[in-house]
Protein backbone atom coordinates (compact mmCIF):
# COMPACT_ATOMS: atom_id res chain seq x y z
CA UNK A 1 0.00 0.00 0.00
CA UNK A 2 1.53 3.36 -0.99
CA UNK A 3 1.39 6.57 1.04
CA UNK A 4 -1.34 8.08 -1.15
CA UNK A 5 -3.74 5.17 -0.58
CA UNK A 6 -3.00 5.16 3.15
CA UNK A 7 -3.74 8.89 3.46
CA UNK A 8 -7.00 8.39 1.52
CA UNK A 9 -8.12 5.57 3.82
CA UNK A 10 -7.23 7.59 6.91
CA UNK A 11 -9.21 10.51 5.54
CA UNK A 12 -12.29 8.30 4.98
CA UNK A 13 -11.99 6.92 8.52
CA UNK A 14 -11.84 10.43 9.95
CA UNK A 15 -14.93 11.42 7.93
CA UNK A 16 -16.82 8.38 9.31
CA UNK A 17 -15.85 9.35 12.86
CA UNK A 18 -17.03 12.92 12.26
CA UNK A 19 -20.39 11.60 10.94
CA UNK A 20 -20.79 9.39 14.03
CA UNK A 21 -20.07 12.35 16.32
CA UNK A 22 -22.60 14.47 14.43
CA UNK A 23 -25.26 11.77 14.67
CA UNK A 24 -24.69 11.47 18.44
CA UNK A 25 -24.95 15.22 19.01
CA UNK A 26 -21.22 15.63 19.67
CA UNK A 27 -21.41 13.57 22.90
CA UNK A 28 -18.49 11.53 24.13
CA UNK A 29 -18.91 7.79 24.65
CA UNK A 30 -19.26 8.08 28.42
CA UNK A 31 -21.80 10.89 28.00
CA UNK A 32 -23.89 8.82 25.55
CA UNK A 33 -24.01 5.94 28.06
CA UNK A 34 -25.54 8.19 30.72
CA UNK A 35 -27.89 9.79 28.19
CA UNK A 36 -29.14 6.38 27.04
CA UNK A 37 -29.69 5.04 30.56
CA UNK A 38 -31.34 8.30 31.77
CA UNK A 39 -30.15 7.51 35.28
CA UNK A 40 -31.25 10.92 36.61
CA UNK A 41 -34.88 9.83 36.30
CA UNK A 42 -34.39 7.27 39.09
CA UNK A 43 -33.65 9.99 41.70
CA UNK A 44 -35.97 12.12 43.78
CA UNK A 45 -35.49 14.93 46.30
CA UNK A 46 -36.43 14.30 49.93
CA UNK A 47 -37.68 16.83 52.51
CA UNK A 48 -34.15 17.95 53.43
CA UNK A 49 -33.17 18.58 49.81
CA UNK A 50 -31.00 15.48 49.41
CA UNK A 51 -31.23 13.13 46.43
CA UNK A 52 -32.45 9.60 47.09
CA UNK A 53 -33.22 6.69 44.75
CA UNK A 54 -36.90 6.26 43.95
CA UNK A 55 -38.55 3.27 45.59
CA UNK A 56 -39.88 1.74 42.36
CA UNK A 57 -41.44 -1.22 44.16
CA UNK A 58 -43.63 0.97 46.35
CA UNK A 59 -44.65 3.14 43.39
CA UNK A 60 -45.50 0.09 41.31
CA UNK A 61 -47.52 -1.43 44.16
CA UNK A 62 -49.43 1.82 44.80
CA UNK A 63 -50.30 2.10 41.11
CA UNK A 64 -51.35 -1.55 41.03
CA UNK A 65 -53.62 -1.17 44.07
CA UNK A 66 -55.31 1.94 42.61
CA UNK A 67 -56.11 -0.03 39.47
CA UNK A 68 -57.32 -2.97 41.58
CA UNK A 69 -59.67 -0.78 43.63
CA UNK A 70 -61.06 0.86 40.50
CA UNK A 71 -61.82 -2.56 39.02
CA UNK A 72 -63.52 -3.82 42.19
CA UNK A 73 -65.72 -0.79 42.95
CA UNK A 74 -68.62 -2.18 40.90
CA UNK A 75 -69.83 -5.62 39.91
CA UNK A 76 -69.45 -5.55 36.11
CA UNK A 77 -70.30 -8.37 33.76
CA UNK A 78 -67.27 -9.19 31.63
CA UNK A 79 -66.87 -10.84 28.27
CA UNK A 80 -65.03 -14.12 28.72
CA UNK A 81 -65.19 -15.29 25.08
CA UNK A 82 -63.22 -12.68 23.14
CA UNK A 83 -62.20 -12.49 19.50
CA UNK A 84 -59.35 -10.00 19.22
CA UNK A 85 -57.39 -8.82 16.19
CA UNK A 86 -54.04 -7.13 16.90
CA UNK A 87 -53.22 -4.62 14.13
CA UNK A 88 -49.52 -3.71 13.95
CA UNK A 89 -48.35 -0.71 11.94
CA UNK A 90 -45.26 -1.76 9.92
CA UNK A 91 -45.06 1.35 7.75
CA UNK A 92 -41.81 3.31 7.41
CA UNK A 93 -42.71 5.17 10.62
CA UNK A 94 -42.16 1.91 12.57
CA UNK A 95 -38.46 2.09 11.68
CA UNK A 96 -37.96 5.23 13.78
CA UNK A 97 -35.40 4.75 16.56
CA UNK A 98 -36.93 6.86 19.34
CA UNK A 99 -37.68 3.47 20.93
CA UNK A 100 -34.59 1.26 21.12
CA UNK A 101 -33.68 -0.52 18.89
CA UNK A 102 -36.70 0.66 16.87
CA UNK A 103 -40.45 1.04 17.24
CA UNK A 104 -40.97 -2.18 15.30
CA UNK A 105 -38.60 -4.18 17.53
CA UNK A 106 -40.11 -2.89 20.78
CA UNK A 107 -43.69 -3.49 19.57
CA UNK A 108 -42.88 -7.04 18.44
CA UNK A 109 -41.32 -7.88 21.81
CA UNK A 110 -44.27 -6.62 23.83
CA UNK A 111 -46.88 -8.11 21.48
CA UNK A 112 -45.25 -11.50 22.06
CA UNK A 113 -45.54 -11.02 25.84
CA UNK A 114 -49.13 -9.79 25.44
CA UNK A 115 -50.20 -12.85 23.43
CA UNK A 116 -48.87 -15.22 26.10
CA UNK A 117 -50.52 -13.22 28.91
CA UNK A 118 -53.76 -12.90 26.93
CA UNK A 119 -54.22 -16.65 26.54
CA UNK A 120 -53.31 -17.18 30.20
CA UNK A 121 -56.09 -14.83 31.32
CA UNK A 122 -58.54 -15.63 28.49
CA UNK A 123 -58.30 -19.37 27.76
CA UNK A 124 -61.64 -19.39 25.91
CA UNK A 125 -60.70 -16.53 23.57
CA UNK A 126 -58.96 -16.30 20.19
CA UNK A 127 -56.47 -13.86 18.64
CA UNK A 128 -55.52 -12.91 15.07
CA UNK A 129 -52.69 -10.74 13.70
CA UNK A 130 -52.92 -8.06 10.99
CA UNK A 131 -50.09 -5.84 9.70
CA UNK A 132 -50.20 -2.55 7.75
CA UNK A 133 -47.48 -2.04 5.15
CA UNK A 134 -47.27 -0.11 1.84
CA UNK A 135 -50.82 1.17 2.37
CA UNK A 136 -52.21 -2.39 2.42
CA UNK A 137 -53.46 -4.51 5.34
CA UNK A 138 -52.21 -8.10 5.45
CA UNK A 139 -53.67 -10.90 7.60
CA UNK A 140 -50.72 -12.70 9.22
CA UNK A 141 -52.76 -15.23 11.20
CA UNK A 142 -56.43 -16.10 11.39
CA UNK A 143 -58.29 -16.21 14.69
CA UNK A 144 -56.92 -19.08 16.76
CA UNK A 145 -55.95 -20.23 20.23
CA UNK A 146 -52.29 -21.17 19.70
CA UNK A 147 -49.89 -18.48 21.00
CA UNK A 148 -46.84 -20.18 19.44
CA UNK A 149 -48.24 -19.98 15.89
CA UNK A 150 -49.02 -16.26 16.28
CA UNK A 151 -45.57 -15.42 17.66
CA UNK A 152 -43.81 -17.46 14.97
CA UNK A 153 -45.76 -15.75 12.18
CA UNK A 154 -45.08 -12.28 13.59
CA UNK A 155 -41.33 -12.76 14.02
CA UNK A 156 -41.01 -13.93 10.42
CA UNK A 157 -42.61 -10.79 8.92
CA UNK A 158 -40.82 -7.90 10.65
CA UNK A 159 -40.15 -5.54 7.73
CA UNK A 160 -41.10 -1.85 7.45
CA UNK A 161 -42.00 -0.01 4.25
CA UNK A 162 -44.43 2.46 2.73
CA UNK A 163 -47.33 4.33 4.29
CA UNK A 164 -50.01 3.27 6.75
CA UNK A 165 -53.72 2.87 5.95
CA UNK A 166 -56.05 2.73 8.92
CA UNK A 167 -59.14 2.30 6.75
CA UNK A 168 -57.80 -0.78 4.96
CA UNK A 169 -56.97 -2.40 8.30
CA UNK A 170 -60.43 -1.68 9.70
CA UNK A 171 -62.13 -3.00 6.55
CA UNK A 172 -60.12 -6.22 6.75
CA UNK A 173 -60.82 -6.96 10.43
CA UNK A 174 -64.46 -5.92 10.03
CA UNK A 175 -64.93 -8.59 7.38
CA UNK A 176 -63.54 -11.25 9.73
CA UNK A 177 -65.21 -10.14 12.98
CA UNK A 178 -68.63 -9.63 11.40
CA UNK A 179 -68.95 -13.42 11.10
CA UNK A 180 -68.34 -13.98 14.84
CA UNK A 181 -71.37 -15.38 16.77
CA UNK A 182 -73.40 -12.97 18.88
CA UNK A 183 -72.02 -14.31 22.18
CA UNK A 184 -68.44 -13.43 21.17
CA UNK A 185 -66.94 -10.07 22.07
CA UNK A 186 -65.32 -8.43 19.03
CA UNK A 187 -62.23 -6.31 19.68
CA UNK A 188 -59.42 -4.66 17.75
CA UNK A 189 -56.15 -3.45 19.31
CA UNK A 190 -54.17 -1.16 16.99
CA UNK A 191 -50.49 -0.36 17.63
CA UNK A 192 -50.00 2.73 15.48
CA UNK A 193 -46.64 4.36 14.70
CA UNK A 194 -47.48 6.73 11.82
CA UNK A 195 -48.70 10.33 12.11
CA UNK A 196 -51.12 10.03 9.16
CA UNK A 197 -53.23 7.52 7.28
CA UNK A 198 -53.39 7.06 3.49
CA UNK A 199 -56.91 5.75 2.80
CA UNK A 200 -58.68 4.84 -0.47
CA UNK A 201 -62.11 6.08 0.67
CA UNK A 202 -64.11 7.70 3.46
CA UNK A 203 -62.76 6.34 6.75
CA UNK A 204 -65.73 7.82 8.64
CA UNK A 205 -68.04 5.34 6.93
CA UNK A 206 -65.73 2.49 7.94
CA UNK A 207 -65.78 3.68 11.56
CA UNK A 208 -69.57 3.70 11.54
CA UNK A 209 -69.59 0.15 10.14
CA UNK A 210 -67.38 -0.99 13.04
CA UNK A 211 -69.65 0.78 15.50
CA UNK A 212 -72.75 -0.86 14.00
CA UNK A 213 -71.11 -4.29 14.19
CA UNK A 214 -70.25 -3.73 17.91
CA UNK A 215 -66.49 -3.93 17.30
CA UNK A 216 -64.56 -2.30 20.14
CA UNK A 217 -61.47 -0.56 18.71
CA UNK A 218 -58.58 0.59 20.92
CA UNK A 219 -55.42 2.36 19.75
CA UNK A 220 -51.98 2.72 21.34
CA UNK A 221 -49.95 5.41 19.57
CA UNK A 222 -46.16 5.51 19.48
CA UNK A 223 -45.79 9.05 18.15
CA UNK A 224 -48.36 11.79 18.86
CA UNK A 225 -52.11 12.04 19.28
CA UNK A 226 -54.08 11.82 16.02
CA UNK A 227 -57.67 13.01 15.70
CA UNK A 228 -58.89 10.08 13.59
CA UNK A 229 -57.56 7.53 16.11
CA UNK A 230 -59.22 9.38 18.98
CA UNK A 231 -62.50 9.61 17.04
CA UNK A 232 -62.36 5.87 16.26
CA UNK A 233 -61.98 4.96 19.93
CA UNK A 234 -64.72 7.34 21.07
CA UNK A 235 -67.21 6.00 18.53
CA UNK A 236 -66.56 2.31 19.23
CA UNK A 237 -66.08 2.51 23.01
CA UNK A 238 -62.37 1.72 22.99
CA UNK A 239 -59.34 3.27 24.68
CA UNK A 240 -56.76 5.62 23.16
CA UNK A 241 -53.37 6.20 24.76
CA UNK A 242 -49.95 7.49 23.69
CA UNK A 243 -46.92 5.55 24.94
CA UNK A 244 -44.34 7.82 26.59
CA UNK A 245 -41.54 5.24 26.76
CA UNK A 246 -41.01 1.48 26.59
CA UNK A 247 -42.19 0.62 30.17
CA UNK A 248 -45.30 2.75 29.59
CA UNK A 249 -45.94 0.96 26.27
CA UNK A 250 -45.67 -2.42 27.99
CA UNK A 251 -48.13 -1.33 30.67
CA UNK A 252 -50.63 0.01 28.13
CA UNK A 253 -50.54 -3.18 26.05
CA UNK A 254 -50.95 -5.51 29.05
CA UNK A 255 -53.96 -3.50 30.26
CA UNK A 256 -55.90 -5.09 27.38
CA UNK A 257 -55.24 -8.65 28.61
CA UNK A 258 -58.04 -8.84 31.26
CA UNK A 259 -61.60 -9.11 29.90
CA UNK A 260 -63.27 -5.70 29.39
CA UNK A 261 -66.81 -4.87 30.58
CA UNK A 262 -69.50 -6.48 28.45
CA UNK A 263 -71.54 -4.38 26.01
CA UNK A 264 -75.22 -4.10 26.99
CA UNK A 265 -76.42 -6.18 24.02
CA UNK A 266 -74.04 -9.00 24.98
CA UNK A 267 -74.87 -8.93 28.72
CA UNK A 268 -77.79 -11.33 28.16
CA UNK A 269 -77.16 -14.88 29.36
CA UNK A 270 -76.60 -17.33 26.51
CA UNK A 271 -76.24 -21.10 26.39
CA UNK A 272 -73.26 -22.06 24.23
CA UNK A 273 -72.79 -25.57 22.91
CA UNK A 274 -69.21 -26.75 23.47
CA UNK A 275 -67.33 -30.00 23.03
CA UNK A 276 -64.64 -31.54 25.21
CA UNK A 277 -62.44 -33.54 22.83
CA UNK A 278 -60.18 -36.43 23.85
CA UNK A 279 -56.47 -36.37 23.13
CA UNK A 280 -55.56 -38.71 20.29
CA UNK A 281 -53.22 -41.64 20.82
CA UNK A 282 -49.53 -40.96 20.23
CA UNK A 283 -49.12 -43.54 17.46
CA UNK A 284 -52.30 -42.74 15.51
CA UNK A 285 -52.18 -41.13 12.05
CA UNK A 286 -54.91 -38.73 10.94
CA UNK A 287 -55.43 -35.72 8.66
CA UNK A 288 -55.43 -32.48 10.63
CA UNK A 289 -58.41 -30.29 9.73
CA UNK A 290 -56.43 -27.14 10.67
CA UNK A 291 -53.47 -27.60 8.33
CA UNK A 292 -55.06 -30.16 5.95
CA UNK A 293 -52.12 -32.57 6.18
CA UNK A 294 -51.43 -35.97 7.74
CA UNK A 295 -49.93 -35.91 11.25
CA UNK A 296 -48.72 -38.71 13.49
CA UNK A 297 -49.83 -38.67 17.14
CA UNK A 298 -50.98 -35.77 19.28
CA UNK A 299 -53.92 -33.52 18.52
CA UNK A 300 -57.52 -33.81 19.66
CA UNK A 301 -60.59 -35.56 18.23
CA UNK A 302 -63.86 -33.64 17.87
CA UNK A 303 -66.60 -35.51 19.80
CA UNK A 304 -69.23 -34.68 17.16
CA UNK A 305 -67.62 -35.32 13.76
CA UNK A 306 -64.38 -37.11 14.87
CA UNK A 307 -62.19 -34.62 12.99
CA UNK A 308 -58.62 -34.02 14.20
CA UNK A 309 -57.50 -30.58 15.47
CA UNK A 310 -54.06 -29.51 16.72
CA UNK A 311 -54.71 -27.07 19.59
CA UNK A 312 -57.39 -26.05 22.05
CA UNK A 313 -59.44 -23.91 22.31
CA UNK A 314 -60.58 -23.73 18.71
CA UNK A 315 -63.59 -24.16 16.48
CA UNK A 316 -63.94 -27.37 14.54
CA UNK A 317 -63.41 -26.66 10.84
CA UNK A 318 -65.83 -29.46 9.85
CA UNK A 319 -68.89 -29.10 12.11
CA UNK A 320 -68.28 -25.68 13.71
CA UNK A 321 -68.42 -26.94 17.32
CA UNK A 322 -66.43 -24.92 19.87
CA UNK A 323 -63.78 -27.22 21.35
CA UNK A 324 -62.26 -26.56 24.78
CA UNK A 325 -60.88 -28.47 27.77
CA UNK A 326 -62.02 -28.40 31.39
CA UNK A 327 -58.89 -26.50 32.62
CA UNK A 328 -59.83 -23.65 30.26
CA UNK A 329 -63.18 -23.26 32.02
CA UNK A 330 -61.52 -23.43 35.45
CA UNK A 331 -59.03 -20.68 34.53
CA UNK A 332 -61.89 -18.41 33.40
CA UNK A 333 -63.66 -18.80 36.75
CA UNK A 334 -61.61 -16.17 38.64
CA UNK A 335 -62.89 -13.38 36.38
CA UNK A 336 -66.45 -14.11 37.55
CA UNK A 337 -65.54 -14.15 41.26
CA UNK A 338 -62.36 -12.09 41.73
CA UNK A 339 -60.56 -12.10 45.07
CA UNK A 340 -61.24 -8.97 47.15
CA UNK A 341 -58.42 -6.37 47.45
CA UNK A 342 -56.34 -6.64 50.61
CA UNK A 343 -56.29 -3.80 53.14
CA UNK A 344 -53.13 -1.79 53.70
CA UNK A 345 -51.94 -1.90 57.31
CA UNK A 346 -51.34 1.60 58.65
CA UNK A 347 -47.66 2.33 59.51
CA UNK A 348 -48.68 4.09 62.74
CA UNK A 349 -50.66 1.04 63.79
CA UNK A 350 -47.65 -1.17 63.11
CA UNK A 351 -45.41 0.96 65.32
CA UNK A 352 -47.90 1.16 68.20
CA UNK A 353 -48.83 -2.55 68.21
CA UNK A 354 -45.74 -4.13 66.67
CA UNK A 355 -45.73 -7.15 68.99
CA UNK A 356 -49.31 -8.11 68.12
CA UNK A 357 -48.69 -8.46 64.37
CA UNK A 358 -46.90 -11.36 62.63
CA UNK A 359 -43.24 -10.81 61.77
CA UNK A 360 -43.28 -12.89 58.56
CA UNK A 361 -45.41 -12.92 55.41
CA UNK A 362 -48.00 -15.72 55.49
CA UNK A 363 -47.39 -16.48 51.81
CA UNK A 364 -43.60 -16.58 51.30
CA UNK A 365 -42.56 -16.64 54.98
CA UNK A 366 -40.11 -13.78 54.39
CA UNK A 367 -39.56 -11.27 57.19
CA UNK A 368 -41.81 -8.21 57.20
CA UNK A 369 -39.27 -6.19 59.20
CA UNK A 370 -36.68 -3.82 57.79
CA UNK A 371 -33.15 -3.54 59.22
CA UNK A 372 -33.38 -2.37 62.83
CA UNK A 373 -36.65 -4.32 63.35
CA UNK A 374 -38.66 -1.50 61.76
CA UNK A 375 -41.94 -2.72 60.22
CA UNK A 376 -42.16 -2.55 56.41
CA UNK A 377 -45.20 -2.04 54.20
CA UNK A 378 -47.69 -4.90 54.33
CA UNK A 379 -51.31 -5.77 53.53
CA UNK A 380 -53.89 -7.90 55.31
CA UNK A 381 -56.71 -10.06 53.98
CA UNK A 382 -60.05 -8.64 55.23
CA UNK A 383 -61.45 -12.18 55.73
CA UNK A 384 -58.71 -14.28 57.34
CA UNK A 385 -56.69 -11.30 58.72
CA UNK A 386 -53.38 -12.83 57.58
CA UNK A 387 -50.56 -10.45 56.62
CA UNK A 388 -48.75 -10.52 53.26
CA UNK A 389 -45.82 -8.68 51.68
CA UNK A 390 -46.29 -6.48 48.61
CA UNK A 391 -44.91 -9.08 46.17
CA UNK A 392 -47.28 -11.77 47.46
CA UNK A 393 -50.19 -9.32 47.23
CA UNK A 394 -49.55 -8.83 43.51
CA UNK A 395 -48.95 -12.55 42.93
CA UNK A 396 -52.16 -13.57 44.74
CA UNK A 397 -54.38 -11.15 42.80
CA UNK A 398 -52.72 -11.48 39.37
CA UNK A 399 -51.75 -15.17 39.20
CA UNK A 400 -52.94 -17.30 42.12
CA UNK A 401 -56.50 -15.87 42.45
CA UNK A 402 -56.90 -17.53 45.87
CA UNK A 403 -55.95 -16.30 49.32
CA UNK A 404 -53.58 -18.82 51.03
CA UNK A 405 -54.87 -17.78 54.45
CA UNK A 406 -58.53 -18.35 53.55
CA UNK A 407 -57.76 -21.64 51.79
CA UNK A 408 -55.75 -23.02 54.74
CA UNK A 409 -58.50 -21.98 57.15
CA UNK A 410 -61.20 -23.72 55.07
CA UNK A 411 -59.13 -26.93 54.84
CA UNK A 412 -58.50 -26.92 58.60
CA UNK A 413 -62.26 -26.79 59.25
CA UNK A 414 -62.97 -29.94 57.24
CA UNK A 415 -61.21 -32.44 59.62
CA UNK A 416 -62.85 -30.78 62.62
CA UNK A 417 -66.27 -31.16 60.99
CA UNK A 418 -65.58 -34.85 60.31
CA UNK A 419 -64.61 -35.42 63.95
CA UNK A 420 -67.80 -33.73 65.14
Amino acid sequence: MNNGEQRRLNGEAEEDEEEDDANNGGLAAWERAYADERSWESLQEDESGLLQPIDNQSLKHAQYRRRLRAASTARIQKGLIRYVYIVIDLSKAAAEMDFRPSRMGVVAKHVEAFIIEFFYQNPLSQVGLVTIKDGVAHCLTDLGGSPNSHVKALMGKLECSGDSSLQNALDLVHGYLEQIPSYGHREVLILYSALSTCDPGDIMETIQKCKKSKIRCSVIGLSAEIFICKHLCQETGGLYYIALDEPHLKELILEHAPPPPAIAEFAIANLIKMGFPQRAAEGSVAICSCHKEAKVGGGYTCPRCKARVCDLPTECRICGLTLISSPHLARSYHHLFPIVPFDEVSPSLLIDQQNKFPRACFGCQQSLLNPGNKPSLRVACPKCKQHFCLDCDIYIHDSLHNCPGCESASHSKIPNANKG
Side-chain angles (χ1 to χ4, degrees):
M1 179 183 295
N2 56 33
N3 293 335
E5 292 178 351
Q6 187 174 1
R7 282 195 300 271
R8 180 174 57 81
L9 293 176
N10 291 337
E12 292 177 354
E14 291 175 358
E15 290 177 359
D16 292 340
E17 291 178 359
E18 291 176 358
E19 289 179 0
D20 292 340
D21 291 339
N23 292 335
N24 291 312
L27 297 177
W30 64 272
E31 292 176 312
R32 290 198 299 271
Y34 282 106
D36 292 339
E37 294 175 1
R38 306 176 69 88
S39 57
W40 59 85
E41 293 184 353
S42 61
L43 298 175
Q44 65 180 357
E45 189 175 349
D46 61 7
E47 298 176 355
S48 60
L50 300 177
L51 293 178
Q52 291 184 346
I54 297 176
D55 188 359
N56 291 323
Q57 183 182 11
S58 299
L59 291 177
K60 178 182 176 182
H61 185 260
Q63 185 180 18
Y64 157 78
R65 291 192 64 77
R66 284 196 300 269
R67 190 165 63 247
L68 192 65
R69 288 196 196 97
S72 61
T73 51
R75 297 287 292 180
I76 302 174
Q77 186 170 350
K78 296 183 176 182
L80 299 184
I81 303 179
R82 305 166 64 189
Y83 295 87
V84 181
Y85 267 103
I86 304 174
V87 179
I88 303 174
D89 180 9
L90 291 182
S91 63
K92 58 186 179 183
E96 294 289 336
M97 299 178 66
D98 48 353
F99 288 79
R100 299 176 61 191
S102 66
R103 294 179 182 176
M104 177 185 65
V106 171
V107 166
K109 180 176 72 173
H110 293 306
V111 166
E112 178 182 0
F114 169 77
I115 291 174
I116 296 173
E117 180 67 19
F118 178 87
F119 282 112
Y120 178 78
Q121 296 201 34
N122 306 270
L124 303 181
S125 303
Q126 297 184 33
V127 164
L129 294 178
V130 170
T131 59
I132 313 173
K133 187 193 308 183
D134 297 322
V136 181
H138 306 272
C139 183
L140 276 187
T141 58
D142 295 325
L143 289 170
S146 174
N148 294 330
S149 62
H150 295 307
V151 172
K152 184 178 179 181
L154 175 63
M155 294 306 172
K157 295 290 185 179
L158 291 180
E159 296 177 355
C160 304
S161 62
D163 296 321
S164 180
S165 176
L166 191 60
Q167 183 184 13
N168 285 337
L170 292 176
D171 282 333
L172 182 63
V173 297
H174 176 268
Y176 290 127
L177 293 177
E178 196 177 24
Q179 306 170 13
I180 297 301
S182 60
Y183 59 78
H185 293 259
R186 308 162 186 173
E187 302 174 47
V188 179
L189 175 59
I190 304 173
L191 304 174
Y192 207 69
S193 298
L195 281 171
S196 61
T197 173
C198 184
D199 301 322
D202 188 359
I203 190 174
M204 295 298 181
E205 295 181 0
T206 304
I207 293 175
Q208 292 304 316
K209 284 197 304 181
C210 293
K211 181 180 179 180
K212 185 178 179 181
S213 300
K214 304 295 186 298
I215 300 176
R216 183 177 186 263
C217 301
S218 299
V219 180
I220 298 177
L222 280 80
S223 51
E225 183 175 303
I226 308 173
F227 168 77
I228 194 63
C229 293
K230 186 176 182 180
H231 179 71
L232 168 66
C233 298
Q234 289 175 343
E235 288 293 313
T236 60
L239 302 174
Y240 182 38
Y241 291 109
I242 302 297
L244 303 178
D245 49 29
E246 185 175 346
H248 189 220
L249 174 64
K250 178 182 178 181
E251 180 183 343
L252 292 177
I253 293 177
L254 291 180
E255 279 186 1
H256 292 271
I263 301 175
E265 286 83 351
F266 297 147
I268 305 172
N270 289 316
L271 293 177
I272 305 170
K273 184 175 291 187
M274 294 184 175
F276 295 86
Q278 294 182 345
R279 185 164 180 83
E282 292 299 328
S284 62
V285 180
I287 297 178
C288 170
S289 62
C290 311
H291 303 89
K292 296 179 177 61
E293 59 184 22
K295 291 191 176 182
V296 180
Y300 302 87
T301 304
C302 174
R304 176 188 284 173
C305 65
K306 307 304 178 184
R308 181 74 63 89
V309 295
C310 294
D311 300 295
L312 298 179
T314 187
E315 187 175 289
C316 180
R317 301 292 181 92
I318 306 301
C319 64
L321 181 66
T322 301
L323 304 177
I324 63 169
S325 64
S326 54
H328 292 145
L329 284 178
R331 278 162 47 194
S332 300
Y333 180 81
H334 67 264
H335 290 300
L336 300 177
F337 302 97
I339 184 172
V340 296
F342 290 169
D343 299 326
E344 293 186 18
V345 181
S346 173
S348 59
L349 190 63
L350 288 173
I351 296 174
D352 297 338
Q353 304 180 11
Q354 183 175 352
N355 295 328
K356 296 183 179 180
F357 291 119
R359 295 175 174 266
C361 170
F362 187 82
C364 62
Q365 299 300 313
Q366 296 293 321
S367 176
L368 292 173
L369 300 177
N370 289 326
N373 289 332
K374 295 181 180 180
S376 61
L377 294 175
R378 63 177 73 183
V379 294
C381 175
K383 294 182 179 180
C384 65
K385 307 301 180 184
Q386 296 291 349
H387 287 212
F388 298 91
C389 65
L390 305 187
D391 290 335
C392 285
D393 179 26
I394 296 176
Y395 174 70
I396 289 171
H397 286 86
D398 282 356
S399 302
L400 193 60
H401 305 295
N402 287 291
C403 173
C406 297
E407 291 297 317
S408 60
S410 62
H411 285 296
S412 63
K413 292 178 181 178
I414 295 177
N416 296 331
N418 293 334
K419 289 180 182 179

